[in-house]
Every structure is written in structure tokens, then in C-alpha cells.
């Protein structure tokens, strides 16, 4: 588990923001990932929420190898093998049932399991996960929650995601226990559907310039 944690921490250190993207058309995925890399955001989370999401992960892994592609919205153990086969570098979950935590702990690639409460964070920490997704971050307490948990649980780091945008991201990144933040504001569905890579590139460059605390 320690090796996988170190790999995950190294991925999180690559950029302050992980764009979360829902892709309908996998043929756009490599160019989208290349745009993000070029703008300074080499890590991208592709959500498993569309029929072609695994194809999008596969296309990025094959044709945009400079990007680090994470499989997001993993909600069942059966999706883990599919995401790994498609070429995902790590697994991300919105929340983590005990069964899913078991499966993630046994997976051969790193996982960033989701949590929304102190008890959930503690349970995942006990299982050996040190970098967690806080989701949905804004609705779960935002930067105040993160600052509150830093004292009692100093060994945990977070990637808050959910309800974060360019305006609110700096307050999260200023928290000492935040490794990076995630969100869809860099890759909004409308721009992705329109294939507007120029606009996505501009949003990504602004996000890449955000500073960690
Ligand atoms: C996720 O899966 O992480 C969320 O859908 C992020 O959503 P938001 O950035 O649009 O709130």
C-alpha cells in the first residue's frame, strides 16, 4: 500500500487542479488531454458516467501518453478491472462502501477513495489510504472542514472536489492538508461537447497558475 500511496502523492503533486471530465465522444479525448497537458494540467479524471468513458480512458492512455488519466466515479468493484484494462493510472471514487474499500485496497494501482465525513476519513485511513477525495467538498464543509480535520488527523491529505470553481479553489489550496483540488470548471460539459479546446486551454492555464498554500 505504501508504494501505491507514494505513486498517488506524486500524481497529486503534478498540478494544483485535476480537471474532472465526462466524455461522450472518445475520439476527442486525446486532443482534450493534450490541451490540458500543454496548459500545465497533466492529470485528468475521466468519470465512468457515459457509455464510452472506458474508451475515452483507453484513447488517452494510448494517444496522449504524457497525460496521467484517472478513472473517476468508480462505484462498484467490477469497474476496477475495467478501468485498469483501459489504462487508468489510478482509481477515484465519490464515496467508499466497505466492500469497495476492500476491492480498492487489493487493486494493483493506486486509489483515491472518496469520503465526506470525519468517520469515513478515519475508516479509510485505518485501511491504509492516506490521500482521500473529499466529495462533495463544498456541501460537506469546504475549507473549514479541511482545516478542522487537520489537527486531529494530521496524517491525511485530501483532494477536495465537488462545487469548487476558479473563485473558490484558492481557499481550498491554502489548506495545508490539501494536495490538489478537482472539478469540472476547467472542462465544462458544454465546452467538451462543442470540442472548444481553445476555451478549455484558457481555463486550464488559469487553473494551472493557482498556488498551493
Ligand atoms: C466529481 O465527480 O468529482 C464531480 O462531478 C465534480 O463536480 P463539480 O466540479 O462540477 O462540482
Amino acid at each position: 500500500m505504501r508504494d501505491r500511496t507514494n505513486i498517488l502523492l506524486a500524481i497529486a503533486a503534478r498540478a494544483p487542479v485535476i480537471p474532472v471530465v465526462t466524455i461522450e465522444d472518445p475520439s476527442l479525448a486525446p486532443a482534450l488531454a493534450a490541451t490540458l497537458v500543454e496548459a500545465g494540467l497533466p492529470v485528468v479524471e475521466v468519470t465512468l458516467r457515459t457509455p464510452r468513458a472506458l474508451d475515452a480512458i483507453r484513447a488517452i492512455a494510448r494517444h496522449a501518453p504524457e497525460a496521467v488519466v484517472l478513472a473517476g466515479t468508480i462505484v462498484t468493484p467490477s469497474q476496477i478491472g475495467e478501468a485498469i484494462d483501459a489504462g487508468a493510472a489510478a482509481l477515484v471514487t465519490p464515496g467508499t462502501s466497505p466492500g469497495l474499500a476492500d476491492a480498492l485496497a487489493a487493486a494493483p494501482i493506486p486509489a483515491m477513495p472518496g469520503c465526506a465525513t470525519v468517520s469515513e476519513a478515519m475508516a479509510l485511513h485505518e485501511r491504509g489510504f492516506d490521500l482521500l477525495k473529499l466529495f462533495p467538498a463544498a456541501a460537506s464543509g469546504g475549507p473549514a472542514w479541511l482545516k478542522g480535520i487537520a489537527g486531529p488527523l494530521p496524517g491525511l491529505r485530501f483532494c477536495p472536489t465537488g462545487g469548487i470553481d476558479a473563485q473558490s479553489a484558492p481557499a481550498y489550496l491554502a489548506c495545508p492538508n490539501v494536495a490538489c483540488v478537482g472539478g469540472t470548471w476547467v472542462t465544462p460539459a458544454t465546452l467538451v461537447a462543442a470540442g472548444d479546446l481553445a476555451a478549455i486551454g484558457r481555463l486550464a492555464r488559469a487553473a494551472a497558475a493557482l498556488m498551493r498554500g
Side-chain angles (χ1 to χ4, degrees):
M1 188 69 114
R2 173 52 43 201
D3 287 355
R4 279 175 288 160
T5 299
N6 287 340
I7 293 169
L8 190 63
L9 287 169
I11 291 173
R14 298 279 303 270
V17 177
I18 298 178
V20 175
V21 58
T22 296
I23 300 181
E24 300 284 351
D25 176 4
S27 69
L28 177 76
L32 173 62
T35 298
L36 295 171
V37 171
E38 170 82 23
L41 299 181
V43 186
V44 57
E45 176 184 329
V46 175
T47 65
L48 299 189
R49 293 184 209 166
T50 57
R52 309 285 313 271
L54 288 168
D55 291 329
I57 290 172
R58 195 171 290 110
I60 294 171
R62 279 201 193 141
H63 303 299
E66 63 289 357
V68 179
V69 59
L70 315 182
T73 322
I74 299 267
V75 293
T76 66
S78 64
Q79 292 172 303
I80 293 174
E82 294 172 347
I84 293 170
D85 287 348
L91 309 160
V92 185
T93 75
T96 317
S97 67
L100 188 54
D102 285 344
L104 294 173
I109 65 171
M112 183 161 69
C115 69
T117 70
V118 177
S119 299
E120 290 168 11
M122 289 172 66
L124 289 166
H125 197 25
E126 243 172 54
R127 309 226 26 166
F129 296 103
D130 297 335
L131 174 56
L132 310 178
K133 172 164 172 162
L134 171 64
F135 182 81
S140 303
W145 189 96
L146 289 154
K147 281 178 196 139
I149 199 175
L153 298 176
L156 272 177
R157 304 196 67 208
F158 294 90
C159 174
T161 305
I164 302 178
D165 59 17
Q167 283 67 47
S168 61
Y172 286 92
L173 290 166
C175 298
N177 52 353
V178 166
C180 56
V181 304
T184 59
W185 87 87
V186 176
T187 48
T190 46
L191 294 184
V192 174
D196 192 343
L197 298 182
I200 289 171
R202 281 192 292 277
L203 291 169
R205 274 191 294 282
L210 292 171
M211 304 294 280
R212 294 183 176 93

